[in-house]
């Protein structure tokens, strides 16, 4: 019967070991795989390392390290677990695997680069457990969400569901711009607010709701008019902007400012039983002016007060906006950049239209003049609208 020493010796015969000096030369070119336990990992790790405890290696490595041809440097605390892990990886078809002799202890003692990783607390691991289970998100992705900053323009029909789902997802900082107060007529669709908040500032009501839902979230409020005098200052530092604005002047202003700051915008609009969502990624796809060079005549874009809107519709569109914002931050899948998603609630149908960047666009085109931040009051409609269709 083989002993532990026999098994370790057999494993080391099957694999190749490198010392920390040689392993360091592979930083940036190889995947560093940390197979220690969580409490060890929390004390320090190699920058950029993928963390999979040895006991979960077989079940998780194919999702977290999908490229079997990419070089892999496996390490543990002293070099024993990593030897067994390297042997397992070879059996799984990984073609270039080495174990780091001496492990992280030797790496750290030789004063090689290491970091103390940002990790989830036990309470956060429980709260976001369903995210952590997703290999495409995992603990690293959840940490990225907690470090992200998203700005919502409007705490109304679209902003309400978007804010709730972003807060529930653990977005660390949520900014909300709105200078309105809660009205009874809002409650049919603006689910951030309630009967007791009528007459209260919308940003204050939104902050109460979101912080009660998730204390991890820092809610920053802007109870101001979003205009040319403050737009660049407000949006500065945010990773994504979720556009729930209800008028054309603000949309054009946001478009110009987001191009200047190169911040992606998740745009949504609703009208009666229809809604639309798209993503404007500055200079990597079309902008709002590519989609809509000029606003439609006022008679073709009546207000919701005139035409109405089904209360559940903004919940659907705002939720899709939240999903797109999360995908942008986590770099998941394909966003709606270059595509317009149109939803018809009566038909219960979705259609997708391609939107191409306009080479002659006055804002992002090849020969576009320098962007000047200015008010667009001449584009104002007689009545504000809650996101009219833009096609």
């Amino acid at each position: 019967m083989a002993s532990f020493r026999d098994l370790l010796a057999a494993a080391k015969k099957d694999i190749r070991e490198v010392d920390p000096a040689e392993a360091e030369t592979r930083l940036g070119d190889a995947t560093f795989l940390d197979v220690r336990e969580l409490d060890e990992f929390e004390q320090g790790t190699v920058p950029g390392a993928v963390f999979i405890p040895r006991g979960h290696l077989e079940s998780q490595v194919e999702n977290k390290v999908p490229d079997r041809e990419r070089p892999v440097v496996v390490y543990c605390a002293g070099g024993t677990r990593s030897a067994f892990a390297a042997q397992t990886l070879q059996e799984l078809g990984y073609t270039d695997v080495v174990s780091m002799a001496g492990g992280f202890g030797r790496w750290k003692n030789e004063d090689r680069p290491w970091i103390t990783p940002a990790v989830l607390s036990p309470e956060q691991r429980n709260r976001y457990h369903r995210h952590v289970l997703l290999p495409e998100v995992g603990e690293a992705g959840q940490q990225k969400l907690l470090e992200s900053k998203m700005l919502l323009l409007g705490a109304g029909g679209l902003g309400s569901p978007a804010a709730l789902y972003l807060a529930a997802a653990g977005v660390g900082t949520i900014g909300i711009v709105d200078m309105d107060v809660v009205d009874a007529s809002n409650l049919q669709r603006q689910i951030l607010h309630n009967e007791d908040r009528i007459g209260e500032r919308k940003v204050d009501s939104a902050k109460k709701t979101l912080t009660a839902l998730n204390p991890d979230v820092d809610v920053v409020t802007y109870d101001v008019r979003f205009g040319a005098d403050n737009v660049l200052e407000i949006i500065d530092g945010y990773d994504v902007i979720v556009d729930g604005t209800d008028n054309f002047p603000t949309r054009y202003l946001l478009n110009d400012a987001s191009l200047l700051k190169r911040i992606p915008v998740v745009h949504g609009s609703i009208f009666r039983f229809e809604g639309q969502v798209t993503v404007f990624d500055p200079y990597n796809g079309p902008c709002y002016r590519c989609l809509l060079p000029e606003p439609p005549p006022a008679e073709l874009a009546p207000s919701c007060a005139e035409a109405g809107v089904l209360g559940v519709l903004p919940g659907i569109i705002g939720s899709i906006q939240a999903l797109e914002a999360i995908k942008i931050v986590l770099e998941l899948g394909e966003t709606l950049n270059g595509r317009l998603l149109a939803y018809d609630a009566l038909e219960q149908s979705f259609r997708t239209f391609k939107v191409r960047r306009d080479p002659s666009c006055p804002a992002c085109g090849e020969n576009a003049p320098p962007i000047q931040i200015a008010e667009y009051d001449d584009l104002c409609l007689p009545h504000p609208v809650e996101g009219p269709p833009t096609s």
Side-chain angles (χ1 to χ4, degrees):
M1 182 177 294
S3 67
F4 170 77
R5 290 181 180 276
D6 295 333
L7 292 175
L8 178 59
K12 290 196 174 186
K13 274 189 177 182
D14 288 343
I15 65 166
R16 187 164 79 87
E17 289 186 295
V18 298
D19 60 23
E22 183 178 344
E24 187 177 4
T25 66
R26 299 188 174 205
L27 278 174
D29 297 322
T31 297
F32 276 65
L33 180 58
D34 188 333
V35 296
R36 297 172 298 160
E37 295 302 309
L38 178 60
D39 60 328
E40 298 173 286
F41 172 76
E42 290 177 342
Q43 301 301 313
T45 188
V46 176
V50 175
F51 170 60
I52 306 176
R54 176 65 189 90
H56 299 287
L57 181 66
E58 291 84 353
S59 62
Q60 295 184 7
V61 69
E62 291 173 299
N63 288 319
K64 292 189 176 182
V65 188
D67 187 355
R68 285 178 166 83
E69 305 298 321
R70 181 177 169 84
V72 178
V73 177
V74 192
Y75 68 91
C76 60
T80 298
R81 285 170 289 177
S82 63
F84 288 116
Q87 184 182 46
T88 298
L89 290 175
Q90 290 181 166
E91 292 171 355
L92 290 172
Y94 288 84
T95 60
D96 186 359
V97 184
V98 297
S99 172
M100 188 167 73
F104 184 71
R106 182 175 169 187
W107 175 281
K108 187 175 178 182
N109 289 337
E110 293 178 1
D111 201 26
R112 304 190 186 280
W114 64 280
I115 59 171
T116 301
V119 295
L120 303 180
S121 67
E123 294 77 18
Q124 289 173 327
R125 288 194 188 95
N126 182 52
R127 176 183 284 270
Y128 306 117
H129 182 58
R130 299 303 190 276
H131 275 179
V132 174
L133 287 175
L134 294 170
E136 297 84 354
V137 180
E139 190 157 328
Q142 186 59 55
Q143 191 63 48
K144 197 170 184 180
L145 284 175
L146 287 163
E147 294 169 358
S148 69
K149 300 178 67 177
M150 299 189 188
L151 179 68
L152 277 70
L153 299 189
L158 295 174
S160 288
L164 284 166
Y165 273 109
L166 292 175
V171 171
T173 301
I174 296 178
I176 302 178
V177 184
D178 202 308
M179 61 175 295
D180 201 0
V181 298
V182 179
D183 183 82
S185 65
N186 302 147
L187 303 183
Q188 167 247 16
R189 64 202 178 282
Q190 299 181 16
I191 55 176
L192 274 174
H193 318 297
N194 59 48
E195 188 81 18
D196 294 336
R197 310 261 183 86
I198 292 175
E200 193 170 322
R201 308 304 298 182
K202 281 189 178 179
V203 290
D204 295 334
S205 173
K207 184 169 185 175
K208 290 177 182 177
T209 301
L210 298 179
T211 53
L213 174 64
N214 190 348
D216 284 342
V217 179
D218 178 21
V219 181
V220 181
T221 60
Y222 303 88
D223 188 5
V224 295
R225 177 184 176 274
F226 190 72
D229 60 331
N230 60 15
V231 58
L232 293 178
E233 180 182 354
I234 289 175
I235 72 173
D236 188 43
Y238 283 95
D239 302 306
V240 183
I241 300 169
V242 178
D243 176 17
T245 56
D246 60 4
N247 62 81
F248 288 108
T250 305
R251 289 173 180 166
Y252 285 106
L253 176 65
L254 171 62
N255 182 74
D256 295 349
S258 66
L259 286 171
L260 273 178
K261 292 289 187 177
R262 295 180 181 264
I263 303 173
V265 174
V266 182
H267 170 76
S269 62
I270 54 173
F271 179 70
R272 289 175 54 83
F273 302 98
E274 300 175 4
Q276 300 175 351
V277 186
T278 190
V279 169
F280 301 121
D281 187 1
Y283 303 104
N284 293 316
C287 75
Y288 186 69
R289 288 184 182 276
C290 296
L291 177 67
L292 198 68
E294 295 181 357
E299 62 270 17
L300 297 181
S303 71
C304 290
E306 295 171 323
V309 61
L310 188 67
V312 72
L313 178 64
I316 297 167
I317 301 302
S319 296
I320 295 174
Q321 287 182 276
L323 177 58
E324 289 296 297
I326 289 172
K327 285 165 60 182
I328 290 170
V329 167
L330 296 183
E331 299 178 349
L332 284 177
E334 295 185 16
T335 71
L336 288 172
N337 181 32
R339 295 181 294 152
L340 179 71
L341 182 68
Y343 173 66
D344 187 318
L346 294 182
E347 294 180 355
Q348 199 62 271
S349 65
F350 287 93
R351 291 184 296 170
T352 304
F353 303 93
K354 288 185 178 180
V355 183
R356 293 180 173 84
R357 187 176 172 190
D358 182 0
S360 60
C361 174
C364 74
E366 297 172 0
N367 300 312
I371 294 174
Q372 301 291 328
I373 299 299
E375 300 288 354
Y376 290 96
D377 291 337
D378 56 320
L379 300 179
C380 283
L381 301 174
H383 303 284
V385 292
E386 196 161 357
T390 52
S391 64

